[in-house]
């Protein structure tokens, strides 16, 4: 008998890019681990023919359809065809839009892709992402002065992923590594400490993360990078600098990037 687990399929259907639907479904399916659920994204569906193909594919594998269609005719057609083919179909946006129409006493525009239009907000986000790349890991200390947020911490405290996450929220973020052998950039001590965020972590968690990092690089655990003594030295050095700066400090030991970002955005509103 095969030990392979059966894969469950969820088709995310949209008349736009499908990012909203995929994000919601990904947030939901983690609640069903260890069941293997594979997402199949079907964006920019604008015709009945496109829907027919999705219904056929989903029916053939017992898949579920989750959709964010805002064009009423397409939404109704999908629901009708799904009923005929006995395919489970979940409407993510329809009930919300209908409820808002009633609450606001206003008809929806029923126009797909509005959220992705190239408006001022979109270009600010692109600029913020480029900023995060340019001023990553203390590459150019002038970024500290220009940034909305400055992240400071030892290696493997999620500075770069956190900077990128915040960039997608339109924050310009620079990050500065705190290493005993390197003098922090003088710019770090000239900016308002209210925009600096120190990232700290427990020695045990950092040791665990660094060992995994070395393993991924094909290196042995004996490297000084993952030694407990070295880690304690780095953390003590970083804590001393953070204290001198008088900045906010967040312990990221057991926090996801999104959780840390939420704390930062609450404390540092986007101007």
């Amino acid at each position: 008998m095969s030990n392979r687990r059966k894969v469950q399929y969820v088709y995310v259907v949209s008349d736009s890019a499908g990012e909203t639907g995929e994000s919601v479904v990904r947030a939901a399916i983690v609640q069903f681990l260890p069941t293997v659920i594979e997402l199949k994204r079907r964006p920019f569906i604008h015709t009945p023919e496109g829907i027919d193909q999705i219904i056929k594919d989903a029916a053939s594998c017992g898949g579920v359809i989750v959709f964010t269609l805002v064009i009423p005719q397409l939404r109704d057609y999908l629901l009708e065809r799904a009923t005929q083919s006995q395919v489970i179909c979940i409407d993510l946006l329809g009930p919300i839009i209908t409820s808002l129409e009633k609450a606001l006493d206003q008809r929806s525009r029923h126009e797909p892709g509005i959220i992705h239009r190239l408006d001022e907000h979109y270009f600010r986000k692109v600029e913020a992402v480029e900023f995060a790349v340019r001023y990553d890991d203390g590459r150019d200390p002038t970024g500290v002065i220009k940034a909305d947020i400055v992240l400071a911490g030892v290696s493997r405290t999620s500075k770069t992923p956190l900077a990128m996450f915040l960039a997608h929220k339109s924050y310009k973020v620079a990050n500065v590594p705190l290493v005993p052998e390197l003098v922090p950039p003088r710019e770090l001590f000239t900016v308002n400490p209210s925009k600096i965020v120190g990232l700290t972590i427990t020695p045990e968690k950092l040791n665990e993360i660094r060992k995994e990092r070395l393993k991924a690089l094909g290196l042995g655990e004996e490297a000084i990078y993952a030694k407990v003594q070295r880690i304690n030295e780095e953390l003590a050095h970083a804590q001393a600098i953070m204290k001198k700066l008088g900045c906010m400090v967040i312990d990221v030991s057991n926090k996801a990037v999104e959780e840390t970002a939420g704390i930062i955005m609450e404390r540092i509103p986007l101007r």
Side-chain angles (χ1 to χ4, degrees):
M1 181 182 293
S2 172
N3 290 323
R4 292 180 62 189
R5 292 175 179 166
K6 182 180 178 182
V7 178
Q8 306 292 332
Y9 294 95
V10 176
Y11 289 79
V12 180
V13 181
S14 176
D15 40 22
S16 185
E19 292 176 0
T20 301
E22 182 173 344
S23 296
V24 172
V25 173
R26 286 196 184 280
I29 63 177
V30 296
Q31 302 299 324
F32 297 91
L33 294 172
T35 300
V36 180
I37 300 176
E38 183 175 324
L39 296 190
K40 291 183 174 289
R41 189 156 142 187
R42 296 291 185 269
F44 304 111
I45 299 299
H46 298 138
T47 65
E49 291 77 18
I51 289 174
D52 287 340
Q53 184 60 55
I54 293 166
I55 294 289
K56 180 180 177 182
D57 293 343
S60 68
C61 66
V64 174
I65 293 176
V66 175
F67 67 93
T68 56
L69 299 172
V70 298
I71 300 174
Q73 295 88 341
L74 287 178
R75 186 174 67 226
D76 294 344
Y77 184 77
L78 174 57
L79 290 169
E80 180 184 345
R81 290 286 291 111
T83 300
Q84 292 170 355
S85 301
Q86 296 185 317
V87 172
I88 296 174
C89 210
I90 302 167
D91 183 358
L92 286 183
L93 288 183
I96 299 173
I97 291 175
T98 300
S99 295
L100 284 173
E101 285 180 331
K102 291 178 181 177
L104 301 173
D105 192 24
Q106 179 181 335
R107 288 281 293 167
S108 159
R109 294 170 65 172
H110 297 297
E111 186 178 342
I114 294 176
I115 196 171
H116 298 293
R117 285 197 174 155
L118 305 186
D119 56 9
E120 183 180 347
H121 173 72
Y122 175 84
F123 287 112
R124 180 181 172 88
K125 182 167 70 172
V126 170
E127 185 180 357
V129 171
E130 292 175 346
F131 187 95
V133 172
R134 186 181 307 127
Y135 298 109
D136 181 47
D137 209 26
R139 202 171 293 165
D140 181 349
T142 61
V144 170
I145 297 171
K146 303 172 187 174
D148 298 314
I149 296 171
V150 180
L151 304 175
V154 302
S155 173
R156 312 314 294 177
T157 47
S158 300
K159 294 189 300 298
T160 297
L162 183 55
M164 293 308 297
F165 185 94
L166 290 166
H168 279 86
K169 300 296 182 181
S170 298
Y171 285 87
K172 291 181 179 179
V173 184
N175 77 71
V176 178
L178 300 180
V179 185
E181 291 77 17
L182 296 178
V183 177
R186 60 179 179 78
E187 288 85 355
L188 192 61
F189 299 93
T190 63
V191 299
N192 191 326
S194 65
K195 77 172 186 178
I196 303 174
V197 179
L199 303 177
T200 190
I201 190 170
T202 64
E204 297 78 15
K205 187 66 176 180
L206 186 55
N207 178 249
E208 178 186 327
I209 292 171
R210 288 190 174 182
K211 282 182 178 179
E212 288 300 316
R213 177 59 175 165
L214 290 172
K215 191 184 299 182
L217 294 173
L219 302 173
E221 293 181 4
E222 67 278 1
I224 191 172
Y225 178 70
K227 293 291 185 182
V228 174
Q229 182 180 348
R230 170 64 183 185
I231 286 173
N232 285 330
E233 289 173 0
E234 287 188 38
L235 289 174
H237 172 75
Q239 287 164 2
I241 292 174
M242 292 173 198
K243 185 176 181 180
K244 185 176 180 180
L245 290 168
C247 64
M248 167 173 51
V249 179
I250 300 176
D251 187 337
V252 300
S253 302
N254 296 298
K255 289 183 176 64
V257 167
E258 295 85 350
E259 185 180 356
T260 305
I263 295 170
I264 293 172
M265 290 187 289
E266 187 175 334
R267 293 282 297 273
I268 308 176
L270 188 64
R271 296 192 302 275

